[in-house]
Amino acid sequence: MAQKPSIPKGTRDFSPEQMRRRNHIFSTIRGVFNRYGYQPIETPAMENLSTLLGKYGDEGDRLLFKVLNSGEFTSSLSPELLQPGMVNRAALAISEKGLRYDLTVPFARFVVQNQAGIHFPFKRYQIQPVWRADRPQKGRYREFYQCDADVIGSKSMFNELELVLMVDEVFQQLNIRTAIKINNRKVLYGIAEHIGHPDRLIDITVAIDKLEKIGAEAVMAELQSKGIDAEACAKLLPIIGLRGSASEQLDVLRPLLEQSEVGKLGMAELDELFGLIAQAHKAKPLHATVELDLSLARGLNYYTGAIFEVKALDAQIGSICGGGRYDDLTGIFGLKGVSGVGISFGADRIYDVMQQLDLFGQTDEWNAIMVANFGEAETLYSMSLLRQCDLQQTPVLVYPDTAKLKKQLDYANALRIPYVLMAGDAEMAQQQITLKDMTTGQQTTIAASELAAALNAIIEQKQA
Amino acid sequence: MAQKPSIPKGTRDFSPEQMRRRNHIFSTIRGVFNRYGYQPIETPAMENLSTLLGKYGDEGDRLLFKVLNSGEFTSSLSPELLQPGMVNRAALAISEKGLRYDLTVPFARFVVQNQAGIHFPFKRYQIQPVWRADRPQKGRYREFYQCDADVIGSKSMFNELELVLMVDEVFQQLNIRTAIKINNRKVLYGIAEHIGHPDRLIDITVAIDKLEKIGAEAVMAELQSKGIDAEACAKLLPIIGLRGSASEQLDVLRPLLEQSEVGKLGMAELDELFGLIAQAHKAKPLHATVELDLSLARGLNYYTGAIFEVKALDAQIGSICGGGRYDDLTGIFGLKGVSGVGISFGADRIYDVMQQLDLFGQTDEWNAIMVANFGEAETLYSMSLLRQCDLQQTPVLVYPDTAKLKKQLDYANALRIPYVLMAGDAEMAQQQITLKDMTTGQQTTIAASELAAALNAIIEQKQA
């Protein structure tokens, strides 16, 4: 056991300092979800593989972490399954469970399984880790948290509006300037019809989804490699390159989609959503810019209406939040015709943006009070005084050992603790205690009877 | 896909109602941990199997969920490994990772791996799920949360005192009457010496750990089956059956352990701890009863000093919290001589106790305000009014669809929402809004300009 222990690649430990930052992000998101009337649920880390398989494409199936069956699993491995090329089937022979890959499929499973107890429209949120056996790389992990809010069982565009307002509020609170990009899958279908390839919607969305990353030429090359002719590409490019206000872009698009029933439906949805957003903005301005981006595609094929993506304006990073409407997510589990819409915040990318932009600020402070230890009687005296004080949520950390004062103060500094309370014989005799401000070095002696008031005044001042 | 989806046995979904109750328990525990200056960390769900194996006994190894390696894992399965009886070795050939079994071993691994960045004494807490491939039964799950607080790198008995105070505070806040039982592993060793079997400490502790469950006779039978003679048993029984105050029991025990150096050390530790608790109690009374229980053993072999267990006084259930001091937990990962002490709260059992005793009360209420939907203009009007109001954390749920009012009010009732806001043409024309109290049925019309004040008054009254 001499070897230093380690953790699996792509996974992470989180220190108290990192936890403080992460919790700041989670509690901001959770606070907004709560305030909009979304309620939390949780689902198990392990799902039956039958729930997960086939929901994320072949690549997704491959990236599922599979959990080995208990018991004599080897007896399920026929010689045939041990042949080269049979490894996927062998895996399924010896594992029935897998770790969840996202929160969307477990949510759909939850809704179908528990539908009798659910009141629709069901507004739920879920903040839990997910696992993917992806190749680990910078900013990509094998275990990471998703923060999802969905409303299911309502077709109203008010849900889309509300999600936009929620996104705006989260990033305003986190102090991240953002652009919320919106598009509509029905409009994308209409565009596919317009360029003569309605049957290739998926190839088209997959390709244009990469527009920002790889550029227009590479997208065109990819499309042509998929059999979409140059003429169609020539029609597509100016459309997904449109800029300007939503209504300006829609005015250009309207005549082009005249022949597409689905496309016209999508246009009407965009009209309605941007109209609602404009009215909400008039009543109380949004902080983010909200734009129609016809090049926005979202890779996931279950989207059927509005789609969203959020970019940080001041950082070079992919989207930090995304989502959209799906008309039949629960259909895969046998519950048809229940429309929903949702968003998902990427906590890790948000963390990276905030770190890059130095936005954590006060979050890094730990407003604790440390009780120095000068011996058993002294420490009991200080602890007793503090136990009488109602300091609300302020942490009080008792230094447990009777160590040299310098060592104790160094400890307080290392932990960024701003105040240390000290009581020796003199203080005990006078029913007093000494407060040391670790920033200024200043010491103040306080009567025991006034300790609560003094500390609460300091805490209030800190928080202001 | 016609089959109704399900989740793996021993795992659970949590509904919003259950989450509200669970979050009440978690946030109470987290609040106390925070206020005592413990800081959160998190570790990955998956650990390397080399970290986990051999730490929980053979039974524990068997109960680890193992995660199948990615890639061509079958090539690691030599014909020998497929023979009957080789299944454990076969499992290790094709899985390198496992789900964490508890939070203690990952914490020890964390401390050793990250020791360069840790300031000792390190007070940390961790609230995360753990997984065990146990046979599921009533109250025992394959995925459940542990809530652990530990301080590592300090031998001071102030840590034990503080943990007792924390336990007391948690259960006081949750309104659960408890007895905190304390013992000491060194004293148990001294007793083993006294009865002539110092080498059989583990057998003895394992057996007496079952005293309450199976009774004295069955414990004696088990001890004798392990080769501990009747004479030794006859000496043991009256000791572990001692009752009375800590000092009364220690007075009986003192002469018996006169010959045991380790036992005397343990007695001194108990003297000190009960002395500290008595003084803390004098300064501010504890709510729990705190007792010395010489029959308390705690199954886990890494404990070396004080051990704790907490029983709910008004419910028939096993311990709802437990812990103790360990002198060498990190030794298994190569960091020697770092003493620590910790406690672990069992959230699921606490939940069961609170449900049994009907202690959730207010937790079950959802103090949200619903905005009824009479059409697009009306809903935008109400939403806009509410977006101008600072209602702190109060959830505002907009009913997204323009449905019949009865349907909307039924929905509010089903979700236990106490207030519904309604605005139709009349209210819009007058710049007013109508508030319906769902409990009394009473409706009040409020001027838009006074909405925030009116709602905040209601919220304050609710919370009082």
Side-chain angles (χ1 to χ4, degrees):
Chain A
M1 264 304 162
Q3 211 188 339
K4 206 177 169 187
S6 63
I7 49 178
K9 62 180 177 181
T11 70
R12 293 165 290 172
D13 283 328
F14 296 109
S15 70
E17 295 73 26
Q18 291 167 316
M19 287 296 292
R20 201 143 45 214
R21 293 174 163 204
R22 288 170 64 83
N23 284 340
H24 172 59
I25 295 169
F26 289 130
S27 68
T28 301
I29 294 171
R30 189 181 295 114
V32 170
F33 287 171
N34 275 325
R35 279 202 308 286
Y36 277 81
Y38 286 68
Q39 295 194 87
I41 67 160
E42 281 186 9
T43 62
M46 292 186 283
E47 293 273 353
N48 290 321
L49 280 174
S50 57
T51 298
L52 302 176
L53 286 167
K55 310 304 188 300
Y56 307 106
D58 290 346
E59 174 72 357
D61 285 355
R62 216 177 47 73
L63 298 183
L64 291 173
F65 279 111
K66 298 172 188 75
V67 176
L68 199 57
N69 293 343
S70 307
E72 295 287 327
F73 69 89
T74 40
S75 61
S76 312
L77 283 172
S78 63
E80 191 204 349
L81 291 176
L82 296 169
Q83 301 305 311
M86 297 296 278
V87 70
N88 290 337
R89 282 192 49 201
L92 299 188
I94 59 175
S95 47
E96 285 169 1
K97 296 179 287 289
L99 297 181
R100 70 174 159 250
Y101 181 88
D102 72 359
L103 302 178
T104 306
V105 168
F107 173 54
R109 194 267 312 143
F110 176 99
V111 168
V112 177
Q113 191 177 333
N114 302 290
Q115 56 186 285
I118 294 175
H119 305 283
F120 295 95
F122 181 41
K123 296 189 177 192
R124 88 86 174 79
Y125 72 85
Q126 194 168 352
I127 300 180
Q128 290 192 281
V130 302
W131 295 270
R132 296 180 186 181
D134 239 326
R135 191 177 301 276
Q137 48 180 268
K138 193 178 174 300
R140 189 191 286 171
Y141 305 101
R142 293 185 148 193
E143 173 180 64
F144 58 97
Y145 271 75
Q146 291 193 335
C147 311
D148 283 22
D150 289 83
V151 47
I152 194 160
S154 165
K155 294 181 178 171
S156 163
M157 195 64 76
F158 270 108
N159 299 302
E160 276 86 341
L161 169 63
E162 193 168 68
L163 292 173
V164 168
L165 296 176
M166 288 161 68
V167 167
D168 186 55
E169 214 165 302
V170 164
F171 291 114
Q172 190 238 322
Q173 283 183 34
L174 293 176
N175 240 329
I176 301 175
R177 296 198 318 131
T178 54
I180 303 175
K181 291 161 185 280
I182 298 180
N183 198 4
N184 187 293
R185 290 290 280 237
K186 295 190 186 79
V187 166
L188 286 172
Y189 182 80
I191 294 171
E193 281 196 312
H194 166 66
I195 67 170
H197 290 283
D199 51 325
R200 308 304 292 280
L201 178 63
I202 291 174
D203 287 335
I204 295 170
T205 56
V206 166
I208 67 176
D209 207 30
K210 301 177 188 162
L211 183 64
E212 195 175 336
K213 209 187 271 176
I214 62 176
E217 270 185 47
V219 167
M220 294 305 120
E222 178 171 328
L223 284 169
Q224 290 183 28
S225 78
K226 301 264 177 188
I228 292 165
D229 55 287
E231 194 189 341
C233 287
K235 276 176 146 175
L236 177 64
L237 202 56
I239 296 176
I240 64 175
L242 279 175
R243 293 290 173 271
S245 73
S247 62
E248 284 163 6
Q249 292 188 55
L250 290 174
D251 284 345
V252 176
L253 200 56
R254 209 172 309 273
L256 305 180
L257 302 194
E258 197 50 53
Q259 303 304 315
S260 165
E261 288 309 314
V262 173
K264 282 194 282 184
L265 266 179
M267 297 268 300
E269 289 178 10
L270 283 177
D271 271 334
E272 184 182 0
L273 178 54
F274 276 97
L276 287 174
I277 293 170
Q279 293 195 63
H281 184 71
K282 216 169 80 182
K284 185 179 174 188
L286 276 71
H287 299 263
T289 61
V290 183
E291 2 180 297
L292 172 59
D293 181 347
L294 292 168
S295 76
L296 174 66
R298 303 280 299 154
L300 295 164
N301 292 321
Y302 50 71
Y303 291 126
T304 52
I307 47 180
F308 313 98
E309 226 165 75
V310 181
K311 297 268 180 189
L313 293 181
D314 304 311
Q316 288 291 333
I317 202 161
S319 75
I320 53 180
C321 177
R325 176 167 290 274
Y326 38 84
D327 278 336
D328 197 26
L329 190 64
T330 57
I332 47 178
F333 298 115
L335 180 65
K336 302 278 181 195
V338 182
S339 186
V341 56
I343 44 167
S344 182
F345 289 84
D348 287 296
R349 284 206 179 155
I350 294 172
Y351 187 104
D352 290 345
V353 168
M354 292 184 67
Q355 180 149 308
Q356 207 174 308
L357 301 180
D358 203 11
L359 293 176
F360 285 109
Q362 282 210 320
T363 309
D364 287 335
E365 308 205 351
W366 188 34
N367 289 323
I369 294 168
M370 188 178 99
V371 174
N373 187 321
F374 294 111
E376 187 171 300
E378 293 85 346
T379 308
L380 270 172
Y381 167 83
S382 300
M383 271 180 87
S384 298
L385 284 189
L386 278 157
R387 284 179 65 223
Q388 329 273 346
C389 297
D390 177 3
L391 303 178
Q392 300 136 54
Q393 302 304 313
T394 302
V396 176
L397 184 152
V398 176
Y399 193 89
D401 302 287
T402 311
K404 283 201 176 124
L405 182 58
K406 180 174 183 318
K407 185 179 174 187
Q408 297 189 45
L409 296 180
D410 286 349
Y411 178 83
N413 279 328
L415 266 58
R416 309 186 63 158
I417 294 175
Y419 294 100
V420 174
L421 284 168
M422 302 182 289
D425 289 344
E427 281 91 350
M428 285 171 74
Q430 306 280 327
Q431 284 290 300
Q432 293 176 332
I433 196 160
T434 296
L435 177 74
K436 186 181 177 76
D437 181 326
M438 296 297 287
T439 318
T440 63
Q442 202 185 336
Q443 297 193 184
T444 323
T445 298
I446 302 168
S449 57
E450 285 158 23
L451 182 59
L455 293 179
N456 280 317
I458 284 170
I459 293 160
E460 251 175 61
Q461 202 189 339
K462 267 265 168 198
Q463 284 167 345
Chain B
M1 265 302 162
Q3 211 188 339
K4 207 177 167 187
S6 63
I7 49 178
K9 63 180 177 181
T11 69
R12 293 165 290 171
D13 282 328
F14 296 109
S15 69
E17 295 73 27
Q18 290 166 318
M19 287 296 292
R20 200 141 48 213
R21 293 174 163 204
R22 287 170 64 83
N23 284 340
H24 172 59
I25 294 170
F26 290 130
S27 69
T28 301
I29 294 171
R30 188 181 295 115
V32 170
F33 288 171
N34 276 325
R35 280 202 307 286
Y36 277 81
Y38 287 68
Q39 295 193 87
I41 67 160
E42 281 185 9
T43 62
M46 291 187 283
E47 293 273 354
N48 291 322
L49 280 174
S50 57
T51 298
L52 302 176
L53 286 168
K55 310 305 189 300
Y56 308 105
D58 290 346
E59 175 71 356
D61 285 355
R62 217 177 47 74
L63 298 183
L64 291 173
F65 279 110
K66 298 172 187 75
V67 175
L68 199 57
N69 293 343
S70 307
E72 295 286 328
F73 69 89
T74 41
S75 61
S76 312
L77 283 172
S78 63
E80 191 205 350
L81 291 175
L82 296 169
Q83 300 304 310
M86 297 296 278
V87 70
N88 290 337
R89 284 192 48 202
L92 299 187
I94 59 175
S95 48
E96 284 169 2
K97 296 180 287 290
L99 298 181
R100 69 174 160 251
Y101 182 88
D102 71 0
L103 302 179
T104 307
V105 168
F107 173 53
R109 193 267 313 143
F110 177 99
V111 168
V112 176
Q113 190 176 333
N114 302 291
Q115 56 186 286
I118 294 175
H119 305 283
F120 295 96
F122 182 40
K123 297 188 175 190
R124 88 84 174 81
Y125 72 85
Q126 194 168 353
I127 300 181
Q128 289 192 283
V130 302
W131 295 270
R132 296 181 186 180
D134 239 326
R135 191 177 300 278
Q137 47 180 268
K138 193 179 172 300
R140 189 191 287 171
Y141 305 101
R142 293 186 148 193
E143 173 180 65
F144 58 97
Y145 271 76
Q146 291 193 333
C147 312
D148 283 21
D150 289 81
V151 47
I152 194 159
S154 166
K155 294 180 177 170
S156 163
M157 196 64 75
F158 270 107
N159 299 302
E160 276 86 341
L161 169 63
E162 192 168 67
L163 292 173
V164 168
L165 297 177
M166 288 160 69
V167 167
D168 185 56
E169 214 165 301
V170 165
F171 290 115
Q172 190 238 322
Q173 283 184 34
L174 293 176
N175 242 329
I176 302 175
R177 295 197 320 129
T178 55
I180 303 175
K181 291 161 185 280
I182 298 180
N183 198 5
N184 187 294
R185 290 289 281 238
K186 295 190 186 77
V187 166
L188 286 172
Y189 182 82
I191 294 170
E193 280 196 313
H194 166 66
I195 67 170
H197 290 284
D199 52 326
R200 308 304 292 279
L201 179 63
I202 291 173
D203 286 336
I204 294 170
T205 55
V206 167
I208 68 175
D209 207 31
K210 301 178 188 162
L211 184 64
E212 195 174 337
K213 209 188 271 175
I214 62 176
E217 270 186 48
V219 167
M220 295 305 119
E222 178 172 328
L223 285 169
Q224 291 184 29
S225 79
K226 301 265 177 186
I228 291 166
D229 55 287
E231 195 189 341
C233 287
K235 275 175 143 174
L236 177 64
L237 203 54
I239 296 176
I240 63 174
L242 278 176
R243 294 289 173 272
S245 73
S247 62
E248 285 164 5
Q249 291 188 55
L250 290 173
D251 285 345
V252 176
L253 200 56
R254 210 171 309 274
L256 305 180
L257 302 194
E258 197 50 54
Q259 303 303 314
S260 166
E261 289 309 314
V262 173
K264 282 193 285 185
L265 266 179
M267 299 267 300
E269 290 178 9
L270 284 177
D271 272 335
E272 185 183 358
L273 178 53
F274 277 96
L276 287 174
I277 293 170
Q279 293 195 62
H281 183 71
K282 218 169 78 182
K284 183 178 175 188
L286 276 70
H287 297 263
T289 62
V290 183
E291 358 178 302
L292 172 59
D293 181 348
L294 292 168
S295 74
L296 174 66
R298 304 280 300 155
L300 294 165
N301 291 322
Y302 51 72
Y303 291 126
T304 52
I307 47 180
F308 313 98
E309 227 165 75
V310 181
K311 297 267 182 189
L313 293 181
D314 304 311
Q316 288 291 332
I317 202 160
S319 74
I320 53 180
C321 177
R325 177 167 288 276
Y326 39 83
D327 278 335
D328 197 26
L329 190 64
T330 57
I332 47 178
F333 297 114
L335 179 65
K336 303 278 182 196
V338 182
S339 186
V341 55
I343 44 168
S344 182
F345 289 84
D348 286 297
R349 283 204 179 156
I350 294 172
Y351 187 104
D352 290 345
V353 168
M354 292 185 67
Q355 179 148 309
Q356 209 174 307
L357 302 179
D358 203 10
L359 293 177
F360 284 111
Q362 282 209 321
T363 308
D364 287 336
E365 307 202 354
W366 189 34
N367 289 323
I369 294 168
M370 189 177 99
V371 174
N373 186 321
F374 294 111
E376 187 171 298
E378 293 86 345
T379 307
L380 270 173
Y381 168 82
S382 301
M383 271 180 88
S384 297
L385 284 188
L386 278 156
R387 284 178 66 222
Q388 329 274 346
C389 298
D390 177 4
L391 303 177
Q392 300 136 51
Q393 303 304 313
T394 302
V396 175
L397 184 152
V398 175
Y399 193 89
D401 302 286
T402 310
K404 285 203 175 120
L405 182 59
K406 180 174 183 316
K407 185 179 174 188
Q408 297 189 44
L409 295 179
D410 286 349
Y411 177 83
N413 279 327
L415 266 58
R416 308 185 63 158
I417 294 175
Y419 294 100
V420 174
L421 283 169
M422 303 181 291
D425 288 344
E427 281 90 350
M428 285 172 73
Q430 307 279 326
Q431 285 289 302
Q432 294 176 332
I433 197 161
T434 296
L435 177 72
K436 186 180 179 76
D437 181 326
M438 296 298 288
T439 318
T440 63
Q442 204 185 336
Q443 296 192 185
T444 323
T445 298
I446 303 169
S449 57
E450 284 157 26
L451 181 60
L455 292 178
N456 280 317
I458 284 170
I459 293 161
E460 251 175 61
Q461 201 188 340
K462 266 268 166 194
Q463 283 166 347

